[in-house]
Amino acid sequence: MYTYDELKYFVDNCTHCPLSQTRNRAVMGKGNLKSPILFIAEGPGRNEDRDGIPFTGKSGELLDRLLREIHMSRDEVYITNIVKCHPPGNRDPKPEEQEACIPYLKYETLILRPKIIVCLGRIAAQRIIRPDYRITREHGIFMCRKGVWLTAVYHPSAILRDGTKLPEVIADFRAIREKLDTVIERD
C-alpha cells in the first residue's frame, strides 16, 4: 500500500497517457485525508491545470458555496478527479485516459476509506456508479456498494451554465449532509 505522498509523486510524474504531454501540472486530489466524504469529478479544468489544485475558479467557488450550505468546508472533505491531467479544450476525458488514471483513484480511495462518495457530474457518475447512469433522472439518489454510499450531483460547471439546476443541487447537498450524519451516528 502506498502512502499519500508516494501516490502524489506517481501522479505528478505520470506519463501513462497523452494528457501528460499537454498538461502544465498534474492535479492530485486535495483535502482531509480522514474525511468520511469523497467528491470525484471527471478531470481538472484550465484553472486547476495552472494551479495544481482541484476546483479552483468559478466552479470551485460554487462548490465552496454548496459546502457552506451544508455547514462544511473544503477542510472537512476530500476532492479529486478521475483523470489527473487537464483534457485539452476542456473536452470530456477519453475512456483510455480514464483507464490510465483509474489506478490512482483506486489508491486514493483505499487511503481515504470514505463512507460516502459523491460524483460531481455525469462523467464521474458513469465511471464510478454505472455506465448508463442518467444524472438528470438519478441525481441525489443513494446506493450502497461494498459498505460505501454512492450518489451523484450535477457538476458545478453545469450549474454555472444553467442556474435553474441550483435548487436541485442544494437539495442534493442537503441529502448528502443527512446521509453523512446518519452514517456517522452508526459508527
Side-chain angles (χ1 to χ4, degrees):
M1 178 72 165
Y2 296 112
T3 67
Y4 178 83
D5 290 334
E6 288 169 328
L7 184 59
K8 183 169 179 1
Y9 175 83
F10 296 144
V11 167
D12 288 345
N13 293 285
C14 180
T15 58
H16 292 144
C17 82
L19 291 180
S20 66
Q21 305 304 309
T22 58
R23 73 174 181 231
N24 287 311
R25 297 177 72 180
V27 182
M28 179 73 175
K30 188 168 175 70
N32 183 338
L33 297 179
K34 297 191 184 303
S35 177
I37 190 164
L38 167 61
F39 287 90
I40 303 172
E42 71 255 22
R46 185 179 59 240
N47 292 327
E48 291 84 356
D49 182 55
R50 179 195 64 220
D51 302 336
I53 300 168
F55 277 89
T56 56
K58 292 195 181 301
S59 288
E61 290 170 12
L62 180 53
L63 181 60
D64 291 341
R65 176 181 164 198
L66 291 166
L67 288 170
R68 281 192 308 274
E69 184 74 30
I70 59 170
H71 310 289
M72 295 187 84
S73 71
R74 282 186 192 233
D75 295 337
E76 298 172 80
V77 302
Y78 187 88
I79 305 167
T80 195
N81 290 294
I82 292 172
V83 298
K84 309 305 184 190
C85 298
H86 172 59
N90 239 19
R91 66 168 167 73
D92 292 344
K94 295 177 181 175
E96 59 271 19
E97 295 162 349
Q98 293 180 41
E99 281 302 313
C101 278
I102 281 296
Y104 299 133
L105 181 59
K106 285 181 179 179
Y107 274 108
E108 274 180 300
T109 305
L110 281 171
I111 289 168
L112 293 162
R113 300 197 182 280
K115 298 188 183 324
I116 298 174
I117 295 176
V118 179
C119 298
L120 296 168
R122 171 185 56 86
I123 300 293
Q126 289 177 342
R127 183 63 201 215
I128 304 302
I129 298 174
R130 67 171 200 282
D132 64 345
Y133 191 90
R134 300 293 300 239
I135 193 95
T136 54
R137 291 187 204 149
E138 300 176 82
H139 66 88
I141 298 172
F142 283 91
M143 64 172 291
C144 192
R145 186 184 302 148
K146 297 181 181 179
V148 178
W149 289 98
L150 306 170
T151 191
V153 299
Y154 288 113
H155 192 286
S157 64
I159 302 161
L160 292 172
R161 288 190 302 274
D162 180 0
T164 64
K165 291 180 169 84
L166 184 59
E168 292 176 86
V169 174
I170 289 172
D172 291 345
F173 266 72
R174 288 178 180 155
I176 291 164
R177 182 62 204 221
E178 287 175 22
K179 180 62 77 177
L180 181 61
D181 291 345
T182 302
V183 167
I184 290 172
E185 280 178 17
R186 290 184 191 154
D187 280 352

